[in-house]
Amino acid sequence: MKKKYILLSLAVATAFTSCSDFLNVEKDIKDRMTLEEVFASEDYTEEWLANAYSFLPNETADLGIEGEWPFCFSDDMYNPIYKNLKEITYSQETWQNSWKKCYRGIRQASIFIQNVDFCEELTPEERIDYKAQARFVRAFYYWKLLQKYGPIPLLPEEGQDYTDSYEALSLPRNTYDECVEYISSEMATAAKDLPLKRELLSIARPTRGAALSVRAKVLLYAASPLMNGNTDSYAALLVNDQGKMLLSKEYDESKWAKAAAAAKDVIDLNIYQLYVAYTRETGDKAYPATIKPFDDGKFSKRNWPEGYADIDPFESYRSVFNGELGATENPELIFTRGQNQANNGVNFMVLHQLPLKAKGYNKTCLTQKQCDAYYMNDGTDCPGKDMEIGRGDGSQRKVGFVTDEDVKAGRYKQLVKGVSLQYADREPRFYASVAYNGAIWSLLNATLVEDQGPYTCWYYRGGAEGQDNSDNWLRTGIGVMKFVRPTDTNDDRNCAGDNSHITKKADPAIRYAEILLIYAEALNELSGSYQIQSWDGSKVHSMSRDIHELAKGIQPIRIRAGVPDYENSIYEDKEAFRKKLKRERQIELMGEGHRYFDLRRWKDAVEEEALPMYGCNTLMTEAERDQYHMPVELADVLTCFAEKTYFWPIHRDEMLKNTRLTQNPGWQEDF
C-alpha cells in the first residue's frame, strides 16, 4: 500500500454515544502517522470511523440549516431568520458548510473502506460491519448533497491525490440519474452487511432498514417531475462543463415502479411499524384521557392495526417526536443521528418554540396555510380553509369562542375558555402539533414554582407572549407544539442557553411513516405493470396501481392519526389521490424537513411558495379577539419563488477550486 502521511485532527463525533469512550484524537495523537499505522490499531480504526460520522449532525441534517432552525422555510413555517430565504435575498455564501463537510465525510469514509481490512485487531465480523457503516455514511453524504445542490461530482473510488493541481483534481458534475444509480447501488451493497437492529449504545449507527430506506427516498426523488421528464428552461440550463443536460428530459414511468419496489423492500423486512399508544381512561392536562376519535363506522369499530377503537391517536403521534419514547422503544424509527447533536439537535429547535414563560425564544411559528391543512376530526376540511388565498370552497371561518358553558358541558375537551372555535373539533395531529392561541403548555419540569404549568398561552398584542418591541413573538400568532414534551422548559435563557430541562430527543431522520407514504405515492403514478427485482435479487416485485396496495400505504397513517379513510372515489382517481397524498405528507411530516424539498421535486413550489403568507392579526389585543382570528397577510414578508431555488447555489470558493464545476441556473458563475 502506498504510504501517505495524514494527521488525525478531527474531533471525535460526540453525537454518538457508542463513540464516547474512544481516544481523544487532539490530545493523544501529536505526531504524523501513516495509514498503515492508523489501521493497525483497533482504537484508531474505530476513531477514524467515528470521524467519518462526525459531519452528520451539522448542516447536512434535515432538521437544521444552522443548528436551531428547522429546514422548513417554504409555506409551512416561519421564523424571522427565514425572511431573506422567503424573499430570496440570500447570497451564494448563505448556509454553505454542508458542501465541504459532506465531501470531507465522503473522503474519510472512502479511506476507511479502503483500509479497514488491514486492521487485524478487529474480528472479521467487525470489519464487515464497519465497512458497511462507512459505505452507508458515504452514500448518505452524497444523498444530502444531491438533495440540496442537485447533481454533484462523484469522486473516484480510489480517491484523489491531494498534492495534485486544482486542474488535475477538477471533476465535472455527474447527471442526476448517475448520482441516483451510485447512491442506490451503494445503499444496497451496504444493506447486505448491515444488521437488522442495533443495540442502545449504537442506536445512531445504520441498519439494513436505514440503507434500504435512503435508497427508496433517493429513487422517489429521481422519479419526481423535477428530475423525470423535465423539458422546461431551467432543466435546459442545468448542464455540466461539456453542455450535457444533468436532469432527464425523457419521462420514464418505470422510475416510479423502482421507488415503489424499494419502499416495499423496507416494508418486507417486517421489523418496523407505526408506534401507537393505547386508550387511556383517566388523565390530566399534560397527559389527558383519550378523546375518542370520530365514529366513522369503519376504523372506529376495529382495533389497531385495522382501526383506532383501542388507541389514543393524539398520544400516539406526539410521543413519536417529543422524547416520550427512547430511540430503542420507537418501532417506526428507522434511522436517527442520535440525541446529543451539539447545537444542531431537536432540543435546540424546541428552545425556539417554547413560550417566554418557559424561557424559550417564542419565535418559530406555523403559517395559516399549514394550520388549515389539518383536517376536522371527521376528515372534512376546516370551514374557510385557504379562503384568503382564493382556494376556499365558499364556506366561512368559524366565529365565536369557547364559553364557560361549553367547558362545563365538555363540548371541546382540548380547549379552554376563550379559545377560538376555529380550533375546535380538529383531528388529533392538530392538537399534537399546533400551539394555537390559548393552547396549554404543561411546563411540568420548571424548577421555579411561578414558572410551573399548566400555562395557557395567549398571543394577543400586549400580552405576555404577544407582539411587543422585542424580537420574541410569533409573527403568525400560531406556534409549534410538535417535538415538545409536557416536561420541557428552559430553565435559564440567559445562562448560555441552558436547555437541560428539555428532554433529549432522537431526531426522526427516517421513520416508517415516510416509507409508507413513498410506497403509496410511487404506486399512484403507475399506469402499467412492472416487474422489479428486490434489493438483493431474492425475489421480484410486481408493481402496478393497485387500490388495495395504495390503501396499505396510506391507511395505517390515517388510522394512527384517528382520521377516517378516504372515499373509494379518491382511491380510484389518480389525480385526486395525488392531491390527498401531498396533503398527507404536509401534515404527517410537518417540521421534519420534507416540505421544502417536496414542493420542488413536485414542481409545485412555483405556485405554492409565491402565495402570500397569512397568519393571525397579531396587532389585535384580547379586547379585539374577533379581528385577531381573521387571518391577514404578513405584509413584511414578501413571498416569492424563483426557479433558481430549485437547487441551492454552489459556493464560489468551490467553483474556484474545481474548474470543471458548473453553477446551478440563476446563480452567478463568473467571478
Side-chain angles (χ1 to χ4, degrees):
M1 182 175 65
K2 181 180 178 181
K3 284 192 176 183
K4 282 190 178 178
Y5 289 87
I6 49 88
L7 178 64
L8 293 178
S9 60
L10 298 174
V12 176
T14 57
F16 304 98
T17 54
S18 58
C19 303
S20 60
D21 59 346
F22 286 169
L23 296 176
N24 185 319
V25 185
E26 301 271 14
K27 176 181 177 182
D28 295 331
I29 301 180
K30 302 184 184 302
D31 300 319
R32 293 182 182 271
M33 302 174 63
T34 65
L35 286 173
E36 289 94 332
E37 291 169 333
V38 171
F39 286 98
S41 163
E42 177 181 356
D43 287 336
Y44 290 156
T45 299
E46 290 180 332
E47 204 157 329
W48 191 289
L49 179 59
N51 283 329
Y53 274 105
S54 67
F55 305 102
L56 280 179
N58 298 292
E59 287 87 346
T60 57
D62 299 314
L63 289 171
I65 49 176
E66 192 68 19
E68 305 97 294
W69 302 284
F71 208 112
C72 303
F73 47 89
S74 54
D75 62 348
D76 49 351
M77 297 173 70
Y78 186 71
N79 184 301
I81 198 172
Y82 294 167
K83 183 175 174 63
N84 69 333
L85 301 171
K86 290 292 302 176
E87 298 178 353
I88 317 178
T89 56
Y90 58 95
S91 73
Q92 294 180 203
E93 284 72 46
T94 302
W95 287 302
Q96 287 288 16
N97 283 337
S98 52
W99 180 283
K100 64 181 180 182
K101 288 184 177 181
C102 281
Y103 273 114
R104 288 175 69 184
I106 288 167
R107 179 178 180 274
Q108 288 293 106
S110 293
I111 293 173
F112 185 90
I113 291 168
Q114 294 164 17
N115 292 278
V116 65
D117 287 331
F118 291 99
C119 186
E120 296 182 357
E121 292 184 3
L122 294 171
T123 67
E125 293 77 16
E126 287 174 326
R127 290 197 294 270
I128 290 171
D129 178 35
Y130 285 3
K131 184 182 289 189
Q133 289 185 46
R135 194 175 298 278
F136 170 91
V137 78
R138 181 175 66 179
F140 191 82
Y141 286 132
Y142 273 124
W143 158 236
K144 299 314 298 179
L145 286 167
L146 182 66
Q147 184 184 39
K148 183 176 180 181
Y149 295 98
I152 35 87
L154 298 173
L155 301 183
E157 192 72 16
E158 67 277 8
Q160 293 178 293
D161 188 340
Y162 62 87
T163 63
D164 282 344
S165 66
Y166 280 166
E167 289 73 18
L169 292 172
S170 293
L171 294 171
R173 299 173 72 169
N174 290 80
T175 68
Y176 198 97
D177 285 345
E178 288 170 346
C179 294
V180 167
E181 175 58 32
Y182 176 80
I183 296 168
S184 61
S185 175
E186 284 291 283
M187 285 299 182
T189 300
K192 293 177 182 178
D193 294 324
L194 289 171
L196 285 173
K197 294 185 178 180
R198 295 282 183 188
E199 300 301 322
L200 176 62
L201 293 181
S202 58
I203 195 63
R205 301 295 175 116
T207 59
R208 182 175 302 167
L212 296 181
S213 296
V214 175
R215 179 172 175 264
K217 187 167 183 173
V218 172
L219 290 171
L220 178 77
Y221 272 58
S224 300
L226 180 63
M227 296 58 134
N228 187 11
N230 192 342
T231 59
D232 64 18
S233 58
Y234 179 87
L237 292 171
L238 182 53
V239 297
N240 68 7
D241 62 326
Q242 301 298 315
K244 181 179 180 180
M245 287 184 62
L246 300 179
L247 299 179
S248 174
K249 64 179 180 179
E250 302 297 330
Y251 178 71
D252 182 357
E253 186 180 274
S254 70
K255 290 181 178 180
W256 290 109
K258 292 175 182 176
K264 190 68 163 59
D265 283 334
V266 181
I267 294 169
D268 286 352
L269 292 176
N270 292 317
I271 60 173
Y272 302 111
Q273 58 184 342
L274 299 184
Y275 170 76
V276 293
Y278 288 91
T279 302
R280 182 162 44 209
E281 297 298 331
T282 60
D284 52 34
K285 287 290 185 183
Y287 296 93
T290 299
I291 297 175
K292 293 188 67 173
F294 179 74
D295 185 357
D296 68 338
K298 180 182 177 181
F299 292 159
S300 59
K301 305 300 182 185
R302 305 170 187 169
N303 288 338
W304 176 260
E306 284 77 32
Y308 47 61
D310 62 339
I311 67 171
D312 185 329
F314 166 79
E315 193 62 51
S316 297
Y317 185 73
R318 77 166 180 172
S319 294
V320 171
F321 312 101
N322 68 3
E324 202 73 45
L325 296 174
T328 57
E329 302 170 302
N330 188 344
E332 71 176 278
L333 190 61
I334 298 176
F335 181 56
T336 178
R337 284 156 295 216
Q339 297 179 346
N340 307 309
Q341 298 183 58
N343 293 340
N344 296 276
V346 179
N347 302 355
F348 281 80
M349 286 171 47
V350 169
L351 185 60
H352 285 254
Q353 297 169 219
L354 289 172
L356 297 175
K357 174 76 169 181
K359 298 182 175 65
Y361 290 104
N362 195 37
K363 285 187 176 182
T364 302
C365 52
L366 296 180
T367 63
Q368 186 67 50
K369 185 179 182 182
Q370 180 65 38
C371 186
D372 284 356
Y374 292 92
Y375 292 95
M376 300 297 287
N377 60 8
D378 63 358
T380 60
D381 291 346
C382 67
K385 178 182 184 295
D386 293 334
M387 60 181 292
E388 292 79 18
I389 57 176
R391 294 180 176 175
D393 60 3
S395 63
Q396 298 296 309
R397 295 192 180 278
K398 283 187 177 181
V399 296
F401 301 86
V402 176
T403 64
D404 276 330
E405 181 182 350
D406 292 329
V407 173
K408 291 176 183 177
R411 291 193 180 97
Y412 311 112
K413 291 183 170 58
Q414 299 95 335
L415 310 183
V416 300
K417 178 185 175 182
V419 172
S420 169
L421 292 180
Q422 291 183 33
Y423 305 132
D425 298 325
R426 303 297 286 271
E427 62 156 296
R429 287 177 297 187
F430 175 90
Y431 298 107
S433 304
V434 182
Y436 50 86
N437 191 33
I440 295 175
W441 299 77
S442 298
L443 312 184
L444 299 182
N445 211 18
T447 55
L448 300 178
V449 174
E450 60 267 27
D451 290 338
Q452 291 175 357
Y455 172 54
T456 305
C457 187
W458 302 101
Y459 299 116
Y460 294 116
R461 182 172 65 86
E465 308 290 342
Q467 186 187 57
D468 58 19
N469 293 326
S470 76
D471 195 34
N472 302 100
W473 55 277
L474 303 181
R475 270 56 180 177
T476 66
I478 308 169
V480 185
M481 192 67 75
K482 188 173 178 178
F483 304 108
V484 180
R485 193 178 183 186
T487 54
D488 284 348
T489 186
N490 177 37
D491 266 3
D492 186 2
R493 197 177 88 200
N494 298 316
C495 184
D498 172 29
N499 65 347
S500 59
H501 285 207
I502 297 176
T503 302
K504 293 178 179 178
K505 314 161 202 297
D507 80 297
I510 307 172
R511 59 187 181 93
Y512 190 53
E514 182 185 358
I515 298 302
L516 294 174
L517 288 168
I518 289 173
Y519 185 58
E521 179 182 353
L523 283 180
N524 183 58
E525 298 300 328
L526 300 180
S527 57
S529 181
Y530 299 85
Q531 305 302 306
I532 308 294
Q533 272 200 337
S534 64
W535 70 278
D536 59 355
S538 63
K539 57 185 174 182
V540 175
H541 297 297
S542 181
M543 297 286 104
S544 63
R545 192 186 184 281
D546 183 288
I547 289 177
H548 299 292
E549 291 300 310
L550 290 178
K552 288 180 182 179
I554 206 73
Q555 280 186 356
I557 292 170
R558 302 279 292 180
I559 293 171
R560 196 264 296 273
V563 185
D565 198 5
Y566 301 138
E567 298 290 335
N568 288 337
S569 59
I570 299 296
Y571 285 105
E572 293 167 356
D573 186 326
K574 179 185 289 189
E575 298 291 331
F577 188 86
R578 182 189 299 128
K579 185 176 180 180
K580 291 288 188 181
L581 184 283
K582 289 179 177 181
R583 184 172 173 185
E584 205 65 45
R585 286 185 65 95
Q586 181 182 4
I587 297 170
E588 177 69 23
L589 304 176
M590 187 277 289
E592 298 177 56
H594 296 270
R595 179 75 174 168
Y596 174 87
F597 297 108
D598 278 348
L599 289 180
R600 281 156 176 76
R601 69 179 177 88
W602 293 328
K603 297 180 70 174
D604 289 349
V606 63
E607 179 179 356
E608 299 299 329
E609 290 197 355
L611 293 169
M613 182 182 293
Y614 280 82
C616 296
N617 190 344
T618 55
L619 290 173
M620 299 296 106
T621 65
E622 185 172 4
E624 302 161 312
R625 63 181 187 174
D626 289 296
Q627 293 98 310
Y628 181 93
H629 292 95
M630 297 308 294
V632 296
E633 182 180 344
L634 272 66
D636 64 336
V637 181
L638 304 177
T639 55
C640 58
F641 177 78
E643 283 188 337
K644 69 178 185 178
T645 66
Y646 275 128
F647 293 120
W648 209 262
I650 299 172
H651 195 286
R652 64 182 62 211
D653 289 350
E654 303 302 331
M655 300 286 294
L656 291 171
K657 292 174 186 176
N658 184 350
T659 58
R660 298 194 65 185
L661 266 184
T662 50
Q663 182 59 276
N664 283 323
W667 300 99
Q668 182 180 353
E669 185 162 6
D670 298 324
F671 309 105

